[in-house]
Amino acid sequence: MEVKLHDIGEGMTEANINHFLVKVGDVVRADQPLVEVQTDKMTAEIPAPFSGVIKEFTVSEGETIPVGSTVLLMEKEQKQYGGERSFPQTTQVLKKRRILASPYTRKIARENGINIEEVVGSGAGGRILDEDIFLYMNGESQSVPVPVEEPETIAPAAPIKPDAETIPFRGRRKQIASKMSQSLRTIPHCTHFEEVDVTNLLAWKDTMKTGGKSISVGAYFIKVISVCLKEFPVFNARLNEQEECVELQSHHNIGIAVDTEEGLIVPVIKQVERKTMKDIHGEMKELTVKAQEGKLTMKDIKGGTFTVSNVGPLNGSIGATPIINEPEVALLAFHKTKKRPMVNERDEIVVRSMMNVSMSFDHRVVDGGTAVKFTNRLRDLIEEPQSMLLELM
Amino acid sequence: MVVGEITEDKDIVVIGGGPGGYHAAIRAASLGRQVTLIEREDVGGTCLNKGCIPSKVFTHFAQEFKKTKHLKEMGMEFGEVVANLSSLQNYKNKKITQLRAGVESLCKANKVEIVKGSASFLSESRIGVENGHEFSLFNFKQAIVATGGEFQYPDGIEFDSDRVLKEKEIFQLEEIPEELIIYGNDYISLEVATIFSILGSRVTLILNGEFPFDSAISKELFRQLKKQKVNVIKNSTLQAASQAEAKVTVSMEKGNGEIVSIEGSHFVASGKVKPNLSDIGLDRLRVELTEEDYIQTDREGRTSIPNIWAIGDVTEGPSLAVKAIKQGKAAAEAMAGLEVEVDLQFVPTVVQMSPPIACTGLTEEEARRAGYSVTVCENPVRGNGYAQLTDEKDGFVKVVSDSETDMILGIHMMGKGAVELITSGVLGLEMAARDEDFRFPLYPHPSMNESLLEAVEGLKGDAVHMPPRKEELAR
């Protein structure tokens, strides 16, 4: 049987074969990784769909293949004689034995090692359709017959000019599009802005650097956010409407939005609450490089609980209305830092380094007051780096 | 026996060249395997040489013979029609030889090697073949046991006679028996009964149990036997059958315990098929058997020994070539690594008597026992225009459906053309058809097909050629 390259998520269209993790003739278990592939944004492993023997590779390492291509051939594990009674006497056929599927559909089930008796049919009168088998195989069976109705395109708003240039709208672009729309459709967004004086932070950073310890302000922000999340755990949560509860997440897994040539991607730093600023700094650097080089793995981009978008280094924008990375509750954007004349406590005009932040939150889960308290606390911790000493454990 | 010193290496060996065996061999060969087919007698097995084919020559002969009255009625002029069984034997033998040659040349064309002799397993990968004084040894990778079955008969029958016969011997007769006594209640007994009653024998049929059909078919069957002057003795167990000169005497115990003897010119018994396993050395391999001593197999036909499959009469289930053929192809495909399944749920049961019977799926009684809320319709063939003009008006089509879901559960037919027409029913049942799935398609007109259509339409009282139901008349 053929093992194919499937869309492993994020709307990939093709992948490069990095290397095979098995040899021809190897006996493999179901789920054992067979081959490592590289998509435009991550590396992933294709697992064995069933236990069996590797017969043949149909592609070679280094080759780029489209989704749906056969990667290798496997033979199913020699089934041992089951010993079951094969032929029910025709006179003892019971009602439940009747399988409501055409022989063609039954064959599809057989060839994929599916016991058709376990499949619930979505066709007329409970008939099992080909699609039911495929859904069952993908583990999306029965319980969720979600008819995703694609709205029919009636006519394009404006006819495309014959000389108009087109750029492809697929792959990651399309994936980003669907995630953004989904988030805006479900979450009532609310965004507020705050300005933060980072003069002291920059001075602290320089001091550290002179001492030979480079820490980016980005790493500092992440740690500060973790401190704030500890105090306001409702922002490190997800809403479960079905169960009518807000699930507070036990770890601070903070996603960092990274802009790459192919588009936005959000690798995640896990368990920030347990990590030192130095750890965070190192990990951020590593993940950013991986993102730029398209080497992120599924593991790297999963499990986020809060997202940070640091557009400061891009040297532009003083405010934004970011779209929350659903199903998270909030997202915080750090904008560019600029020296501005500010009025101090003694009513003097002084030159300070100022940075704006924009925070979007899910208004179903929290209200503006809590959000402002959150950014106030964040502001104070950034403006007075020494106050972070109090957070030492 | 001289044991050869050379052992040849084979890929697949198929033991038995009956319908199951040769289908398996050719299918395996077409899938790229090297196949050796071992047969101790003639390729084609019981089916071609002693069973289905000879009996169908006789049923066909009888049905054509019966037609002569109708042919004259239509205006065909010819003299007296005589049934000459001696000529029929020549015809039969010619046809069998032709068909057998056909199978052999198919094997050859597919590079299936045919080895003559009796096979016996020596181990799970080694088999010996004895042919007279020759003995060959083969190593094999996989094997299919397709050795078929042998008929077993009740005690008390003295077969060493030319008038006390087994079913296969009745089709070797060169003369029409004067008074034929038949023992059995299976399709063979029914075919033999109508063949010889049409040809002019006085026929007595002794039944030792119920017919395995829907009650409507059984009821009509008794009516047809009576109409054809077949003397039916129900519910009796054979005690003895023997010949004395030109007479046979048959004694039986009737349901009330009474012992009755009858006399006739010939006696034929229909036996029960038991698997042919005694001399192929399977006991040496300790292959798992069922309680009734069939070889136990899984859905693919694999036995408890992973490289050995079993098909046909050595496995449980109905003793029919249709089963063996399906299992044979499935076994070959399973050996080639394909995913296969044999499901005999809708196996068609046919009796090529006059008029023929063909059934598939649940009988009305089985459907009720299984808990369905059952609706049935019986559409008499008499209402079909084509049946009228061909003067084949006997029989009916009965459809059993589930009134909750409209699903068709069973189709039972008696009448000319039933054996060909039943395939529509089998296909419908396999596709889990509901009444509309049968009603929507177009049926050729005029033809027997319309009897099936109207039987389905009749489930809801919509058949044009059936009288309205009482409640409809009351409106």
Side-chain angles (χ1 to χ4, degrees):
Chain A
M1 278 177 73
E2 299 169 336
V3 177
K4 291 185 171 159
L5 174 69
H6 292 296
D7 183 353
I8 0 182
E10 308 287 316
M12 61 180 267
T13 53
E14 56 176 28
N16 185 65
I17 303 296
N18 273 1
H19 53 265
F20 287 105
L21 305 166
V22 290
K23 298 188 302 294
V24 169
D26 277 5
V27 177
V28 296
R29 285 168 291 100
D31 271 341
Q32 182 178 337
L34 301 176
V35 56
E36 187 186 283
V37 297
Q38 165 90 48
T39 72
D40 50 4
K41 65 171 111 161
M42 61 183 176
T43 52
E45 288 164 347
I46 300 180
F50 46 81
S51 303
V53 182
I54 307 296
K55 299 307 283 184
E56 187 189 339
F57 296 138
T58 51
V59 293
S60 33
E61 291 183 0
E63 209 175 313
T64 300
I65 56 167
V67 165
S69 308
T70 302
V71 177
L72 53 81
L73 302 180
M74 261 182 82
E75 191 171 275
K76 273 214 179 138
E77 202 168 32
Q78 280 293 319
K79 268 176 292 173
Q80 288 304 309
Y81 155 82
E84 78 255 48
R85 295 235 158 198
S86 48
F87 307 112
Q89 285 184 340
T90 44
T91 49
Q92 292 175 354
V93 178
L94 294 175
K95 192 172 177 177
K96 64 175 193 287
R97 265 278 300 159
R98 184 86 187 254
I99 294 159
L100 300 183
S102 75
Y104 196 101
T105 308
R106 292 172 70 153
K107 188 172 180 215
I108 294 176
R110 244 184 0 252
E111 290 185 338
N112 287 291
I114 305 286
N115 177 5
I116 198 161
E117 288 172 47
E118 291 171 8
V119 180
V120 174
S122 70
R127 271 151 188 74
I128 301 166
L129 312 176
D130 297 359
E131 293 77 44
D132 298 324
I133 308 284
F134 295 129
L135 283 176
Y136 186 89
M137 277 160 64
N138 293 336
E140 303 161 23
S141 73
Q142 0 158 329
S143 53
V144 270
V146 203
V148 185
E149 279 191 31
E150 298 272 337
E152 246 179 80
T153 0
I154 299 158
I160 297 166
K161 290 188 211 129
D163 59 345
E165 204 184 323
T166 60
I167 53 168
F169 179 67
R170 52 175 181 253
R172 194 189 297 188
R173 192 70 257 150
K174 206 167 170 180
Q175 189 70 20
I176 292 170
S178 92
K179 282 201 79 167
M180 293 299 172
S181 314
Q182 167 71 14
S183 173
L184 271 184
R185 262 201 308 274
T186 45
I187 303 177
H189 281 64
C190 182
T191 308
H192 74 264
F193 310 99
E194 174 62 294
E195 53 181 14
V196 184
D197 184 340
V198 294
T199 317
N200 295 343
L201 176 63
L202 293 176
W204 174 82
K205 186 190 158 208
D206 285 344
T207 316
M208 296 306 290
K209 198 175 177 182
T210 321
K213 296 194 170 58
S214 259
I215 294 289
S216 66
V217 290
Y220 187 85
F221 293 156
I222 301 283
K223 191 67 196 176
V224 165
I225 288 170
S226 177
V227 171
C228 297
L229 289 176
K230 205 164 97 189
E231 292 167 28
F232 300 90
V234 74
F235 291 103
N236 194 63
R238 63 175 58 187
L239 175 62
N240 186 338
E241 282 189 296
Q242 255 177 352
E243 296 293 321
E244 301 183 339
C245 67
V246 174
E247 298 163 354
L248 304 179
Q249 306 298 309
S250 40
H251 295 299
H252 302 158
N253 299 340
I254 301 186
I256 311 151
V258 180
D259 184 47
T260 71
E261 269 180 35
E262 291 81 25
L264 173 71
I265 187 138
V266 187
V268 177
I269 303 179
K270 308 265 159 57
Q271 304 191 11
V272 169
E273 77 280 4
R274 292 186 179 179
K275 287 179 178 161
T276 65
M277 232 176 272
K278 211 167 148 243
D279 294 339
I280 297 166
H281 175 72
E283 223 173 292
M284 263 176 94
K285 255 170 84 177
E286 194 188 321
L287 287 173
T288 310
V289 171
K290 272 172 108 175
Q292 302 290 0
E293 294 178 354
K295 286 187 178 161
L296 292 171
T297 65
M298 209 64 198
K299 218 174 80 193
D300 293 330
I301 61 171
K302 284 209 152 161
T305 58
F306 187 96
T307 298
V308 170
S309 170
N310 188 5
V311 293
L314 299 177
N315 197 26
S317 114
I318 54 166
T321 56
I323 297 172
I324 296 163
N325 193 2
E326 207 230 344
E328 295 168 15
V329 167
L331 183 148
L332 197 59
F334 296 92
H335 299 280
K336 74 170 174 181
T337 301
K338 196 183 175 189
K339 285 186 178 168
R340 279 171 28 207
M342 299 300 290
V343 177
N344 67 11
E345 309 90 79
R346 296 189 291 277
D347 282 353
E348 299 157 347
I349 295 179
V350 290
V351 175
R352 303 296 291 181
S353 291
M354 300 302 293
M355 174 187 75
N356 288 2
V357 298
S358 312
M359 179 169 175
S360 291
F361 59 90
D362 185 342
H363 215 324
R364 296 173 303 178
V365 181
V366 273
D367 300 322
T370 319
V372 170
K373 280 181 199 148
F374 181 88
T375 46
N376 285 352
R377 179 69 176 129
L378 177 96
R379 183 197 58 208
D380 293 347
L381 285 168
I382 295 174
E383 290 189 344
E384 266 317 323
Q386 293 190 3
S387 61
M388 281 292 276
L389 286 173
L390 297 174
E391 302 306 324
L392 284 177
M393 285 182 285
Chain B
M1 190 200 319
V2 180
V3 177
E5 288 168 15
I6 302 162
T7 304
E8 280 183 74
D9 284 335
K10 302 289 183 189
D11 182 10
I12 294 178
V13 297
V14 180
I15 304 127
Y22 90 75
H23 274 84
I26 291 176
R27 187 76 189 103
S30 73
L31 287 165
R33 304 294 296 267
Q34 185 246 316
V35 185
T36 302
L37 180 66
I38 304 167
E39 171 58 56
R40 66 178 176 188
E41 291 173 41
D42 289 321
V43 172
T46 301
C47 168
L48 201 164
N49 300 292
K50 299 169 194 163
C52 320
I53 300 300
S55 68
K56 260 72 258 177
V57 167
F58 269 71
T59 56
H60 173 64
F61 182 76
Q63 279 164 29
E64 296 301 304
F65 185 80
K66 191 184 172 191
K67 250 191 216 162
T68 53
K69 196 177 138 214
H70 172 62
L71 296 177
K72 280 191 173 168
E73 187 193 347
M74 284 196 298
M76 276 186 215
E77 291 176 9
F78 45 86
E80 195 196 349
V81 178
V82 178
N84 182 335
L85 288 202
S86 166
S87 304
L88 183 64
Q89 288 301 340
N90 291 337
Y91 177 83
K92 181 195 83 178
N93 292 334
K94 199 170 93 191
K95 289 295 153 189
I96 289 173
T97 310
Q98 274 174 7
L99 289 170
R100 195 192 299 136
V103 173
E104 283 166 351
S105 72
L106 265 180
C107 287
K108 200 176 166 193
N110 282 283
K111 300 195 167 55
V112 171
E113 174 194 27
I114 299 175
V115 172
K116 286 270 164 186
S118 300
S120 179
F121 284 101
L122 303 172
S123 77
E124 291 177 8
S125 61
R126 208 164 147 87
I127 198 163
V129 180
E130 195 182 350
N131 186 13
H133 60 280
E134 281 178 43
F135 191 81
S136 327
L137 281 173
F138 301 134
N139 288 331
F140 62 85
K141 290 184 187 143
Q142 288 167 318
I144 298 178
V145 180
T147 48
E150 220 158 324
F151 290 97
Q152 281 194 350
Y153 302 89
D155 294 334
I157 306 176
E158 294 171 20
F159 280 118
D160 49 351
S161 135
D162 55 359
R163 287 169 181 267
V164 176
L165 308 170
K166 295 174 178 174
E167 57 271 80
K168 66 178 180 190
E169 291 162 343
I170 191 96
F171 301 117
Q172 291 161 0
L173 288 184
E174 303 221 342
E175 277 173 17
I176 299 168
E178 221 172 291
E179 290 181 282
L180 177 63
I181 300 167
I182 305 164
Y183 181 65
N185 57 342
D186 54 6
Y187 70 97
I188 299 174
S189 312
L190 287 168
E191 288 175 0
V192 171
T194 55
I195 288 166
F196 288 99
S197 89
I198 289 169
L199 297 182
S201 304
R202 281 197 303 282
V203 178
T204 298
L205 175 62
I206 304 167
L207 300 175
N208 57 345
E210 301 286 317
F211 287 126
F213 306 117
D214 183 276
S215 57
I217 296 275
S218 299
K219 195 177 151 203
E220 178 62 16
L221 185 50
F222 282 121
R223 210 182 67 84
Q224 286 295 333
L225 290 171
K226 196 173 173 189
K227 192 175 154 191
Q228 293 177 39
K229 300 190 170 60
V230 172
N231 174 30
V232 179
I233 302 174
K234 292 183 194 172
N235 200 14
S236 300
T237 310
L238 189 93
Q239 298 290 309
S242 59
Q243 178 188 358
E245 291 168 16
K247 286 273 169 216
V248 293
T249 306
V250 177
S251 65
M252 68 199 103
E253 185 184 343
K254 299 190 82 169
N256 56 11
E258 191 189 343
I259 305 285
V260 178
S261 279
I262 55 170
E263 287 189 342
S265 65
H266 291 77
F267 171 78
V268 60
S270 173
K272 286 209 160 41
V273 177
K274 289 284 163 198
N276 256 339
L277 297 176
S278 49
D279 31 355
I280 58 167
L282 272 181
D283 42 346
R284 206 169 287 145
L285 305 190
R286 297 178 194 283
V287 69
E288 203 177 306
L289 300 180
T290 70
E291 280 165 26
E292 285 96 33
D293 287 343
Y294 292 98
I295 300 179
Q296 179 78 68
T297 61
D298 65 11
R299 286 163 88 89
E300 291 180 353
R302 197 193 291 256
T303 69
S304 57
I305 299 166
N307 63 326
I308 299 178
W309 274 255
I311 62 170
D313 286 346
V314 293
T315 66
E316 59 182 0
S319 171
L320 295 172
V322 56
K323 178 186 99 176
I325 290 169
K326 181 74 190 175
Q327 290 176 318
K329 289 189 281 195
E333 287 165 6
M335 286 174 164
L338 301 177
E339 288 297 328
V340 299
E341 179 186 3
V342 177
D343 188 339
L344 300 174
Q345 194 171 181
F346 300 122
V347 67
T349 307
V350 302
V351 186
Q352 296 264 33
M353 59 180 289
S354 178
I357 296 170
C359 310
T360 186
L362 300 184
T363 66
E364 181 180 344
E365 298 73 37
E366 286 168 342
R368 289 191 194 285
R369 274 203 301 277
Y372 289 100
S373 56
V374 175
T375 301
V376 301
C377 175
E378 260 180 65
N379 176 30
V381 167
R382 185 168 297 279
N384 180 300
Y386 195 69
Q388 286 289 340
L389 72 92
T390 54
D391 196 32
E392 302 278 4
K393 296 169 295 200
D394 287 326
F396 62 91
V397 178
K398 175 173 177 175
V399 178
V400 181
S401 88
D402 175 15
S403 51
E404 279 172 22
T405 61
D406 290 331
M407 188 160 66
I408 305 300
L409 304 173
I411 296 176
H412 309 274
M413 304 178 181
M414 181 187 245
K416 178 78 176 172
V419 176
E420 303 296 330
L421 187 50
I422 196 64
T423 307
S424 300
V426 174
L427 187 59
L429 288 176
E430 289 289 4
M431 301 293 289
R434 289 173 283 182
D435 65 341
E436 182 62 17
D437 301 318
F438 276 96
R439 290 175 62 151
F440 184 83
L442 301 173
Y443 289 68
H445 174 82
S447 76
M448 290 301 294
N449 295 289
E450 294 167 303
S451 289
L452 171 60
L453 171 64
E454 292 215 325
V456 178
E457 288 175 333
L459 288 167
K460 293 194 175 144
D462 300 335
V464 167
H465 295 92
M466 285 177 72
R469 294 178 186 171
K470 285 194 183 102
E471 66 267 28
E472 282 153 5
L473 283 174
R475 267 190 224 146

